[in-house]
């Protein structure tokens, strides 16, 4: 074996141990950093100090305290006339202030670090009475309902503003006048409690959680709503659900988290795009991706790459850092989405980023680091098996027995192209603020190498979210998100130039390197390693997604709000193939440089009004919004490079192509919502939006999208009062219209495009006009209920929906004799019907807690009508087809009946019994849509330990394993899988693999696109398992951290599937509506192990 | 504060006004496209721009006639299954490369028809200028129709531009009618075009040369002789002394009409011919029977074929890196062989004239002149000369099919059904005219 050559390549792959050591280093560094730094203790109230002043003004006293502690004083000037003399040792702030303010009409309030001094009328009364009274001290501890001490709970003397907050261990000490009888204890999220202190010097208080206050607030279109009052179908995902996942993108974290949302990771390419489908496919030619909205501003999504990396599309969505997210709402039914009108058919994903709170500043550090590897390999022929196969194929002795017994080269190409790759993420954020100004600031670095050589992804994010109250009536704020991402790509799917297909398809008899160290290029395809090492293909994304808002409270119930946002992206691709690659050698060095600038400016202007009259509550919203979108791009291709080491186009002698272009579009919208609530029992919501879009034809420029929903909260009815087991019951129904406008601009217009012949400019008709062109419209009916049992220990949400989409924006194929291949028209109808169930249970509460969240959904997609009933045929490599009565992208090809034992050739079903196999014999052979998809999350915690197990799966979907077209072709120069070892050899053999033959006609027939290559793609994945440990208070006290958690996480730990390819969860055509479920040398997903730490300062 | 609120309102109003005022940036609205003579010129170039497509003269249309016949074969290790189908004469209607040719040819016809429709309404053109413009457009339309006819047999004739989506279903027109349309177009072109031309655009004699070929294919031998003679005598073209020079440079004096390629509008012919060791794709290679067909000393051998190790590859169009070599559609040698073949079919052929025409070609190739006198044998000699002379130039399949020799010569062609390519399934599925039928056997 030619070991030296292959070892050379293995040296490039670092060992697992290397990464382990690397990770440990990072952790040690962080922990030492934390322990060695002097950070202020969170519980300032506990700070003790010595005070010795004589006849100073209060101001001087406060300055003295400020110097000795972290406290900040707020007061009016006129309080300063009081003079005080104090001598106290080792006193808490409350003790000092109690003494200092004893004989004044002033009271104080401590809010963590802030001390507010106020003149108090009520205190004046107490004060005057109390002048003669003795003070006494009350001590105590405040616990929550599980017995955990509550830090920072407010303890006040009833009827005064005098109070203290509890310390780290929930302890408080308050000095009260003798005649005080009651303390009021309050804490956010708990029912405020009054305790009698008559005759007591110590009180222990247990607080009861306030379900109403704790209740989740869900973000809805242009607003928020309490979860229990929502009448629409909305799923929400909180930041807790998604933390720790070693997933780089927003779409990736949606997977398995919510019913009705199917997320397909089209390939394992770092930073690559995914397909997200909310309640099925509603479109054939338009996009089926949902509309993403971040902090109210629509996000530019999609692939802006101009170089083809077929199936490895980049994704503008991947520029966003998931750890900046506070919550995600997925709007599913028409009533929730119609407020986004012409872009709402595919559902809406509303994302809000984290914002500051009025609290002491908290610094969070989150770091994880780990390794990834390919979870699966194909069984390929080794050199000896390859030689035997070639001899059988050619029918002659291509390789002599001597050669076969002295094999010198036996390359495992998968070992060469796959590697163990590191992944890490570093994030630091700080949040805090006062009542007036709040902030959230974060910065992060995500760094991932791909498991396929030549691929990696690095991203830097920064965010500053600031809110400031200008006055009682005005609030302004901004959200600034910045991102820089760098992706190293290699071509893969569907090309002859990608390391993955080339590596897998190259027989083991070819070494990676020649004796002289150069790349061995004698295999059937160009050397995979040469492409990965010698071809440069990087793209850079520079992005800002920022906005500015102003809220104006005109009168108490009426608010005006204006928000201006911009999503700007510069996407640059830089590519160079040196002459060491086959592609580069052909052109003497081949380089590309492309730029795309995408700008979307959005203005949202809202007027909101709410009013209660007795049991009636009314919320109204009126909005006006407009958007201006512009995209410019340039593209240069050059060849004949002066030197292999020069990768930029200034070294290219020939510029073979250079172009630039621009497109613009605009959208103007008016919208409104009216929400009526009777006694929290009956809730009705009416929504409507007018959208005027430049994408539509002059006859249909403006669309109207209305929707309505009703909810009946049965739980509020009198007859439910005695049913103690039922804690929530709500029925919901909604109906409405939404649209999809995802088409290129000016498709409605008759246009001439430019071209060139003989070096001179020419024009040609490029578009058949269609002035009636308009949006796709989807009418959706939704029926659902929410059921809570046993005090919401068990919560069930169920929905049934029926989505009818008509006027499909269909790129209808035209007879090529017309000179056009297609026209975009509003023809055809598609239906999606489905059921979604979500079950959340709290199985154990207390010391040992166990929560379960299970969601399952099934969608049935059906094409109801196409233009003249014409099917759209033979799309993609797997023979996807769009035909009436079937789901979009059904597999339609020849039906293989297996291998004829007498001839060794595949027999195809003659479905029309005409005695010959023609294209007329093609039939439905598979369905790429799953019967149902599901996700199951179990969270356990005990003491400091937490364990989360997240399973996700898809059942009943077929996958066309296109790689087998080549890897079981039994012809050509491609390496084969070991499946062909059971091929037909002689008459009588019963097998599923045909013979190896050089008969060109038979060989071609045997590898026809047929049911032979369709497999069950059902899979169940242990998507994520995370085990964490949080240090307890005892241990934390020795550090300067208020919280430390370490965790170990595994992504794609196990995958259960019968699929024989690299990964069942793939699609070589990326985010395509009709080419689905097709694997063609697609970059598989990685198995990832990470070790992480969360620190709070 | 009130002022800033006012300012915001003003901003909202001002900005919102123009978000709907958007113009296309990379295309022209139809209403403004054709106003002047210069616009017509751009339209004509737009019609020409379909020829250099990869699915036309940029690759497929140059390779397939040799691949479907016996000049090129599909190597065992090659990957393009669409090419294998053509090499095996076992083409499926779904074959995308064949479908691509069909679409691009009709695309060119539609653009030509579109401009033809606009010419009469242009104000600053003289009648002669209008006729010259129409002549050029008619030539483009005729060449597209002729190529379609040769691959697919009866095809829909298109003489009106596609406007809107009504009435797009079209029947196949009988072969005779297609010929008449082609001949009418070319006769008009030959009468209205000027004799001078830059060869990458058509001219009076390019139209006549194509007419000669059309009449030969149609079997109208008198006319074929007439037009070939006219081109030979009056066209001003000369046979180059050295065969290899025909492909060494563009716009040679032998060339009558060629398709323009440059580094920015490249062809991929060399890429598909060249072996992988020279960074090509080697989807096709010269067949063993072609290599054997060359007579010893034939100068055309080394001008047409090169070897990388033991692998032969075609080198007439050999600009692998840039793909900038023009592809010749019509050249003078073709006229001599057309005239010879047409003459041999006459009831009383002039044997000496036939010999003379054939020998012009043979002598240039450093071969001995023929002294054959039997018209039947002369036709075989012409067949072979055409095979060698025009190897890799996209003639062989049509020559064997039009002479009815395909079944006898080609091992994979066993019946007459195989002599026509299938109508692409894209057309069959979208064109609902009952007259749009598939060719028999598919």
């Amino acid at each position: 074996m030619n070991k030296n050559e292959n070892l050379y390549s293995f040296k490039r792959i670092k060992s697992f141990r290397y990464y382990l050591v690397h990770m440990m280093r990072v952790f040690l560094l962080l922990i030492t950093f934390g322990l060695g730094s002097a950070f202020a203790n969170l519980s300032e109230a506990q700070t003790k100090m010595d005070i010795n002043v004589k006849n100073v003004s209060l101001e001087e006293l406060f300055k003295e305290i400020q110097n000795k502690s972290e406290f900040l004083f707020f007061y009016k000037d006129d309080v300063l006339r009081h003079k005080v003399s104090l001598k106290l040792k080792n006193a808490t702030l409350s003790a000092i202030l109690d003494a200092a303010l004893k004989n004044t009409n002033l009271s104080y309030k401590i809010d963590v670090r802030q001390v507010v001094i106020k003149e108090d009328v009520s205190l004046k009364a107490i004060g005057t009475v109390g002048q003669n009274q003795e003070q006494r001290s009350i001590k105590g501890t405040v616990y929550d309902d599980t017995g955990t001490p509550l830090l920072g709970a407010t303890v006040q003397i009833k009827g005064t503003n005098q109070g203290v907050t509890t310390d780290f261990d929930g302890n408080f000490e308050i000095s009260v006048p003798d005649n005080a009888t009651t303390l009021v204890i309050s804490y956010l999220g708990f029912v405020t409690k009054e305790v009698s202190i008559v005759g007591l010097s110590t009180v222990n208080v247990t607080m009861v959680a306030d379900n109403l206050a704790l209740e989740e607030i869900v973000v809805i279109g242009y607003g928020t709503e309490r979860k229990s009052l929502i009448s629409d179908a909305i799923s929400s995902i909180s930041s807790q659900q998604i933390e720790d996942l070693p997933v780089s993108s927003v779409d990736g974290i949606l997977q398995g988290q919510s019913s009705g949302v199917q997320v397909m990771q089209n390939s394992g390419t770092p930073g690559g795009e995914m397909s997200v489908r909310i309640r099925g496919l509603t479109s054939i030619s338009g996009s089926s991706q949902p509309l993403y909205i971040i902090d109210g501003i629509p996000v530019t999504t999609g692939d802006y790459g101009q170089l083809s990396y077929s199936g490895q599309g980049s994704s503008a969505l991947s520029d966003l850092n998931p750890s900046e997210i506070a919550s995600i709402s997925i709007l599913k039914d028409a009533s929730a989405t119609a407020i986004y009108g012409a872009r709402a058919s595919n559902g809406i994903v509303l994302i809000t980023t984290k914002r500051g709170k009025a609290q002491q500043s908290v610094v969070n550090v989150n770091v994880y680091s780990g390794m990834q590897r390919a979870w699966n390999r194909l069984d390929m022929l080794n050199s000896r098996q390859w030689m035997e196969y070639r001899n059988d194929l050619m029918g002659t002795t291509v390789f002599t027995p001597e050669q076969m017994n002295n094999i010198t080269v036996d390359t495992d190409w998968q070992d060469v192209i796959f590697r163990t790759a590191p992944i890490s993420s570093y994030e630091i954020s700080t949040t805090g603020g006062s009542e007036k100004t709040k902030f959230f600031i974060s910065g992060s670095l995500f760094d991932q190498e791909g498991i396929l050589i030549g691929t990696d992804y690095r991203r830097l994010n920064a965010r500053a979210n600031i809110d400031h109250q200008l006055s009682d009536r005005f609030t302004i704020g901004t959200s600034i998100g910045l991102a820089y991402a760098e992706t190293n790509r290699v071509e893969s799917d569907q090309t002859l130039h990608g390391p993955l297909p080339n590596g897998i398809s190259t027989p083991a008899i070819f070494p990676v390197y020649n004796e002289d160290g150069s790349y061995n290029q004698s295999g059937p395809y160009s050397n995979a390693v040469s492409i990965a090492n010698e071809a440069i293909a990087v793209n850079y994304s520079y992005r800002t997604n920022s906005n500015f808002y102003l809220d104006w409270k005109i009168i108490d119930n009426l608010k005006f709000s204006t928000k201006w946002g911009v999503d700007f992206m510069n996407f640059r691709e830089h590519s160079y193939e040196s002459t060491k690659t086959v592609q580069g050698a052909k052109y003497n060095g081949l380089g590309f440089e492309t730029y795309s600038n995408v700008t979307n400016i959005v203005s949202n202007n809202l007027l909101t009004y709410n009013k209660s009259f007795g049991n009636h509550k009314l919320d109204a919203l009126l909005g006006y919004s407009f958007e201006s979108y512009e995209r410019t791009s340039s593209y240069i291709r050059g060849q004949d490079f002066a030197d292999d080491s020069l990768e930029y186009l200034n070294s290219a002698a020939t510029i073979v192509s250079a172009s630039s272009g621009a497109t613009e579009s605009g959208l103007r919208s008016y919208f409104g919502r009216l929400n009526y609530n009777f006694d929290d029992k009956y809730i009705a919501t009416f929504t409507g939006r007018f959208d005027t879009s430049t994408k539509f034809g002059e006859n249909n420029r403006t669309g109207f999208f209305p929707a309505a929903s009703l909810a009946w909260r049965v739980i509020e009815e009198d007859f439910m009062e005695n049913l103690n087991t039922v804690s929530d019951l709500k029925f919901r129904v909604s109906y409405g219209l939404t649209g999809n406008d995802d088409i290129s601009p000016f498709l409605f217009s008759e246009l001439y495009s430019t071209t060139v012949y003989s070096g001179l400019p020419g024009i040609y008709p490029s578009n058949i006009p269609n002035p009636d062109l308009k949006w796709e419209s989807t009418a959706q009916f939704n029926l659902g209920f929410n059921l809570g049992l046993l005090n919401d220990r068990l919560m069930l949400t169920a929905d049934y929906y029926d989505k009818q989409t008509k006027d499909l924006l269909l790129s209808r194929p035209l007879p090529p004799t017309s000179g056009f291949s297609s026209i975009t028209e509003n023809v055809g109808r598609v239906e999606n019907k489905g059921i979604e169930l979500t079950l959340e249970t709290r199985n154990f509460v207390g010391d040992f807690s166990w929560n379960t969240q299970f969601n399952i959904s099934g969608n049935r997609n059906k094409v109801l009508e196409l233009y003249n009933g014409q099917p759209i045929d033979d799309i993609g490599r797997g023979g996807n087809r769009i035909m009436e009565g079937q789901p979009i992208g059904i597999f339609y090809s020849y039906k293989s009946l297996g291998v004829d034992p007498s001839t060794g050739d595949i027999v195809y079903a003659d479905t029309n019994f005409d005695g010959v196999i023609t294209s007329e014999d093609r039939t439905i052979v598979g369905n790429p849509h799953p019967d149902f998809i599901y996700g199951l999350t179990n969270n356990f915690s005990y003491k400091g330990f937490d364990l989360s197990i997240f399973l996700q799966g898809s059942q009943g979907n077929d996958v066309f394993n296109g790689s087998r077209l080549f890897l079981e072709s039994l012809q050509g120069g491609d390496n084969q899988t070991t499946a062909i070892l059971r091929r037909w050899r002689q008459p009588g053999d019963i097998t599923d693999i045909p013979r190896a033959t050089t008969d060109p006609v038979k060989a071609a027939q045997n590898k026809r696109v047929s049911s032979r290559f369709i497999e069950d793609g059902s899979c169940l994945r242990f998507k994520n398992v995370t085990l964490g440990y949080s240090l307890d208070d005892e241990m934390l006290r020795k550090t300067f951290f208020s919280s430390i958690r370490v965790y170990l996480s595994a992504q794609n730990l196990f995958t259960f599937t019968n699929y024989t390819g690299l990964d069942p969860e793939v699609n070589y055509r990326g985010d395509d509506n009709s080419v689905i479920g097709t694997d063609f040398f697609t970059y598989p997903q990685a198995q990832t192990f990470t070790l992480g730490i969360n620190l709070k300062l | 504060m009130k002022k800033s609120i006012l300012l915001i309102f003003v901003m909202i109003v001002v900005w919102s006004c123009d978000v709907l005022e958007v113009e296309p940036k990379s295309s022209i609205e139809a209403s403004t496209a054709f106003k002047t003579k210069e616009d017509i010129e751009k339209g004509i170039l737009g019609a020409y721009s379909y020829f250099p497509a990869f699915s036309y003269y940029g690759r497929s249309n140059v390779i397939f006639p040799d691949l479907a016949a016996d000049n090129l074969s599909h190597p065992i290790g090659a990957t393009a299954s669409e090419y294998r189908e053509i090499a095996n004469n076992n083409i499926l209607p779904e074959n995308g490369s064949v479908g691509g040719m069909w679409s691009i040819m009709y695309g060119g016809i539609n653009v030509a028809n579109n401009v033809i429709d606009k010419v009469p309404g242009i104000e600053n053109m003289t009648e002669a200028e209008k006729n010259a413009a129409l002549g050029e457009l008619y030539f483009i339309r005729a060449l597209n129709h002729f190529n379609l006819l040769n691959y697919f047999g009866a095809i829909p004739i298109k003489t009106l531009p596609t406007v809107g989506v009504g009435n797009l279903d079209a029947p196949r027109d009988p072969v005779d009618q297609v010929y008449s349309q082609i001949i009418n177009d070319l006769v008009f072109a030959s009468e209205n075009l000027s004799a001078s031309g830059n060869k990458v655009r058509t001219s009076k004699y390019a139209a006549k040369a194509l007419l000669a070929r059309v009449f030969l294919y149609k079997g109208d031998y008198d006319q074929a002789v007439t037009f070939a003679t006219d081109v030979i005598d009056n066209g001003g073209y000369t046979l180059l002394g050295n065969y290899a020079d025909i492909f060494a440079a563009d716009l040679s004096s032998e060339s009558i009409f060629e398709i323009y390629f440059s580094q920015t509008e490249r062809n991929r012919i060399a890429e598909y011919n060249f072996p992988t060791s020279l960074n090509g794709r080697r989807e096709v290679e010269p067949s063993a029977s072609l290599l054997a067909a060359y007579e010893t000393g034939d100068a055309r051998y080394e001008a047409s074929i090169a070897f990388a190790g033991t692998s032969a590859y075609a080198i007439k169009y050999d600009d692998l890196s840039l793909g900038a070599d023009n592809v010749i559609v019509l050249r003078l040698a073709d006229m001599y062989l057309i005239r010879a073949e047409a003459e041999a079919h006459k009831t009383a052929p002039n044997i000496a004239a036939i010999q003379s025409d054939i020998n012009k070609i043979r002598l240039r190739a450093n071969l001995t002149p023929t002294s054959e006198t039997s018209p039947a044998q002369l036709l075989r000699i012409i067949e072979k000369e055409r095979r060698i002379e025009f190897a890799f130039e996209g003639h062989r399949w049509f020559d064997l099919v039009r002479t009815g020799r395909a079944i006898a010569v080609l091992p994979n062609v066993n019946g007459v059904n195989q002599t026509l390519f299938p109508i692409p399934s894209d057309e069959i599925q979208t064109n609902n005219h009952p007259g749009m039928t598939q060719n028999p056997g598919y």
Side-chain angles (χ1 to χ4, degrees), chain A residues 586 624 639 752 757 818 873, chain B residues 16 28 114 162 200 279 321:
Chain A
K586 189 186 298 175
Y624 170 55
Q639 61 188 56
Y752 283 79
Y757 180 74
S818 67
D873 210 2
Chain B
S16 66
I28 319 163
N114 208 294
T162 296
V200 294
N279 307 310
S321 164

Side-chain angles (χ1 to χ4, degrees), chain A residues 807-1058:
Chain A
D807 299 330
L808 289 185
L809 284 169
L810 200 65
S811 175
R812 164 166 78 86
L814 295 176
T817 44
S818 67
F820 295 94
S821 58
S822 62
I823 180 175
T824 303
E825 278 187 338
N826 294 103
V827 283
R829 291 186 296 129
V830 166
E831 148 188 296
N832 286 280
K833 287 181 180 175
I835 289 175
E836 298 166 352
L837 290 174
T838 304
L839 182 66
E840 287 169 89
T841 58
R842 288 188 286 155
N843 309 322
F844 284 88
V845 290
D847 255 3
F848 173 69
S849 86
W850 173 22
N851 302 331
T852 303
Q853 196 263 27
F854 176 63
N855 69 69
I856 183 165
S857 38
N859 182 66
R860 294 292 175 269
N861 175 278
K862 195 198 270 187
V863 180
L864 299 177
E865 186 191 320
L866 292 171
Y867 176 78
N868 276 355
Q870 286 169 7
I872 304 170
D873 210 2
D874 212 28
I875 329 160
R877 286 183 176 266
N880 292 103
R881 188 186 227 230
I882 299 168
M883 61 192 284
E884 289 181 0
Q886 296 295 332
I888 293 172
I890 197 99
F891 290 119
Y892 191 84
S893 63
Y894 299 94
K895 186 172 184 178
S896 161
L897 299 176
V899 175
D900 183 341
S902 59
T903 62
D905 291 321
I906 299 273
V907 182
Y908 295 101
D910 180 11
T911 57
N912 62 359
F913 307 105
D914 64 354
V916 282
I917 302 298
T918 61
S919 59
E920 298 301 306
D921 289 310
R922 292 174 306 153
T923 179
I924 293 165
V925 292
N927 181 354
H929 298 273
D931 294 337
F932 56 89
I933 54 172
Y934 55 94
L936 173 66
T937 308
N938 276 293
N939 290 312
F940 305 90
S941 77
Y942 179 70
K943 302 272 172 92
F945 290 95
D946 60 86
L947 172 68
S948 152
I949 302 174
F950 167 33
L951 279 66
Q952 171 259 323
S954 154
Q955 189 65 39
N957 54 308
D958 291 320
V959 174
F960 181 82
N961 189 342
S963 311
R964 284 171 59 203
L965 278 176
F966 286 79
L967 302 180
E968 287 176 23
S969 61
L970 295 157
Q971 57 179 297
D974 305 271
N975 200 9
Q976 305 283 295
T977 66
T978 53
I980 65 125
L981 296 177
R982 58 173 192 268
R983 68 185 176 276
W984 186 93
R985 311 280 180 118
Q986 58 196 22
D989 282 357
I990 307 282
T991 178
D992 59 329
I993 307 285
R995 64 180 169 144
T997 174
T998 48
D999 177 335
V1001 176
K1002 290 295 180 195
Q1005 278 174 8
N1006 285 342
K1007 64 163 276 195
R1008 264 187 183 165
V1009 170
S1010 74
S1011 61
R1012 179 184 160 197
F1013 303 109
I1014 287 176
E1015 300 182 26
D1016 181 1
S1018 303
C1019 77
L1020 163 62
R1021 279 203 141 117
F1022 276 65
K1023 196 75 194 169
N1024 185 275
V1025 178
T1026 299
L1027 176 65
Y1029 176 69
S1030 305
L1031 268 62
D1032 64 22
D1033 301 339
E1034 206 60 38
M1035 294 162 83
L1036 279 176
R1037 208 166 298 212
K1038 294 172 189 151
T1039 72
F1040 289 96
F1041 297 106
S1042 60
S1043 150
I1044 297 177
R1045 176 169 171 273
V1046 290
Y1047 63 91
L1048 198 59
S1049 166
Q1051 190 80 356
N1052 292 331
L1053 184 59
F1054 305 112
T1055 301
F1056 300 99
T1057 181
N1058 290 326

Side-chain angles (χ1 to χ4, degrees), chain A residues 189-484:
Chain A
F190 288 84
V191 178
T192 300
K193 196 162 183 176
E194 299 191 357
V195 241
S196 165
I197 49 169
V198 179
L200 296 174
S201 62
T202 315
V203 280
N204 289 332
V205 186
T206 299
M207 305 286 284
V208 177
D210 181 350
N211 282 329
L212 200 67
L214 267 189
E215 197 197 326
E216 214 181 312
I217 300 292
V218 174
V219 179
I220 59 173
Y222 302 101
T224 56
E225 180 62 282
R226 270 162 58 196
K227 194 172 186 179
S228 63
L229 299 183
I230 283 175
S231 53
D232 309 329
I234 296 177
S235 298
S236 59
I237 298 172
S238 69
S239 59
Q240 285 89 7
Q241 254 172 290
I242 54 177
E243 66 189 8
D244 304 345
L245 294 179
V247 173
S248 65
S249 69
V250 174
D251 39 11
I253 56 179
L254 296 177
Q255 191 170 38
Q257 299 283 7
S258 165
S259 63
V261 182
Q262 187 190 11
V263 179
M264 286 286 294
Q265 189 169 346
N266 300 319
S267 86
T269 310
E273 69 172 349
M274 306 190 187
S275 301
V276 177
R277 303 283 177 257
I278 297 175
R279 295 186 163 180
L281 275 169
T282 54
S283 187
I284 291 175
S285 299
S287 168
S288 284
Q289 298 274 34
L291 176 68
Y292 290 86
I293 292 174
I294 294 191
D295 293 330
I297 305 296
V299 186
T300 302
T301 55
D303 182 1
Y304 288 86
Q306 296 177 67
L307 304 182
S308 164
Y309 290 86
S310 23
Q312 310 251 315
S314 64
S315 166
L317 199 60
S318 65
D319 290 336
L320 306 163
N321 177 7
S323 62
E324 292 170 357
I325 294 173
S327 77
I328 300 175
S329 293
I330 300 166
L331 314 186
K332 298 190 286 197
D333 72 345
S335 175
T337 59
I339 199 140
Y340 292 103
R343 294 177 293 176
S345 277
N346 298 325
I348 309 286
V349 178
L350 289 179
I351 295 166
T352 48
T353 56
K354 292 174 180 165
R355 303 199 82 83
K357 287 185 212 115
Q359 62 170 39
Q360 191 198 3
S361 303
V362 178
V363 178
N364 279 295
V365 176
N366 293 313
V367 174
Y368 67 77
S369 186
M371 51 77 79
Q372 317 152 81
R373 58 176 198 176
W375 67 274
N376 189 20
R377 297 277 174 99
L378 297 177
D379 282 329
M380 304 302 298
L381 298 186
N382 62 27
S383 284
R384 190 184 170 85
Q385 291 166 327
W386 168 256
M387 291 174 174
E388 284 166 356
Y389 152 68
R390 290 304 280 188
N391 284 350
D392 179 36
L393 171 68
M394 306 307 285
T396 57
T397 309
V398 184
F399 297 98
T400 62
E402 192 178 50
Q403 280 176 302
M404 292 167 70
N405 289 328
N406 295 295
I407 287 169
T408 54
V409 180
D410 196 352
T411 310
D412 184 338
W413 279 94
Q414 290 181 92
D415 274 351
V416 175
I417 57 168
F418 288 126
R419 63 183 172 186
T420 305
I423 180 171
S424 46
S425 163
Y426 310 86
E427 190 209 355
I428 182 158
S429 67
T430 173
T431 174
S434 65
E435 290 297 334
K436 273 191 175 298
T437 306
K438 298 162 193 164
F439 65 92
F440 170 82
I441 294 170
S442 80
S444 64
L445 163 68
F446 178 81
D447 194 351
Q448 180 185 17
E449 267 188 25
I451 55 171
L452 180 67
I453 53 174
T455 60
D456 61 58
Y457 178 64
R458 186 173 297 122
R459 183 183 63 206
L460 288 163
N461 286 87
R463 172 166 290 280
N465 288 353
I466 296 162
D467 306 278
H468 177 71
Q469 202 173 347
L470 280 176
S471 70
D472 287 350
R473 297 201 175 279
F474 291 98
T475 307
I476 57 166
T478 185
S479 309
I480 300 170
L482 301 171
Y484 163 77

Side-chain angles (χ1 to χ4, degrees), chain A residues 151-195:
Chain A
L151 162 141
T154 306
V155 181
Q156 275 183 318
I157 305 162
K158 190 174 181 186
T160 76
N161 276 348
Q162 218 174 334
V164 294
T165 54
T166 56
D167 68 8
F168 205 84
D169 296 318
N171 296 326
F172 68 93
E173 186 177 354
I174 187 167
S175 161
V176 300
D178 261 350
N179 64 342
T181 57
T182 311
L183 290 183
V184 179
I185 293 113
S186 58
Y187 191 85
L188 182 70
F190 288 84
V191 178
T192 300
K193 196 162 183 176
E194 299 191 357
V195 241

